[in-house]
Amino acid sequence: RQVQQAKEVQETIARISDEYDTMKREVETLESQEHQVAQQAQQLQAKLDTIRQKQQDKANELNQIKQAMWHKESEYMAFLEAAARGGAAVPGLRPEVAVEAEKMSPA
């Protein structure tokens, strides 16, 4: 009877040892996958940061273009107004533009 119990204990130990080895390999595989995914996430985060910075730079550039366009449109409208007045002073119109407007005004 003790021999039978000893065999059962030995089989149980062998089974547990096999399960341990299997689980250990699975854990190592999962840890490796976790490491790879963490590296990919880090690379993607860096790429996202770069894209966000480029987006901000482009938004700033767009705002500068809008401001320059608005300024040029205002200057053009002042030029047309000065030309219609025969070159008379118009607030915000640069002097050299006023001279050009005077040249273009109907005599």
Side-chain angles (χ1 to χ4, degrees):
R1 179 155 163 77
Q2 288 181 347
V3 172
Q4 180 63 29
Q5 285 179 337
K7 278 184 167 183
E8 289 175 3
V9 169
Q10 190 175 17
E11 289 171 1
T12 301
I13 291 171
R15 187 172 31 88
I16 290 172
S17 180
D18 289 345
E19 288 176 9
Y20 171 83
D21 291 341
T22 300
M23 286 190 171
K24 183 177 178 184
R25 284 191 302 272
E26 289 174 359
V27 167
E28 289 170 352
T29 300
L30 290 172
E31 287 173 344
S32 175
Q33 289 174 352
E34 178 186 25
H35 179 70
Q36 290 173 354
V37 169
Q39 283 183 326
Q40 289 174 341
Q42 191 175 21
Q43 291 169 348
L44 289 173
Q45 184 63 49
K47 187 174 182 179
L48 178 60
D49 291 344
T50 300
I51 290 170
R52 284 182 175 159
Q53 184 60 51
K54 284 181 182 179
Q55 182 184 21
Q56 184 61 47
D57 293 345
K58 291 293 181 183
N60 291 340
E61 185 178 349
L62 178 61
N63 282 334
Q64 289 174 353
I65 290 169
K66 284 180 182 179
Q67 289 176 355
M69 189 173 73
W70 180 84
H71 179 72
K72 291 292 183 186
E73 286 175 354
S74 296
E75 191 175 271
Y76 178 69
M77 295 305 288
F79 175 81
L80 292 178
E81 187 178 333
R85 291 185 184 178
V90 174
L93 189 63
R94 295 189 323 242
E96 64 272 16
V97 175
V99 170
E100 289 298 316
E102 187 175 351
K103 290 179 187 176
M104 295 184 69
S105 66

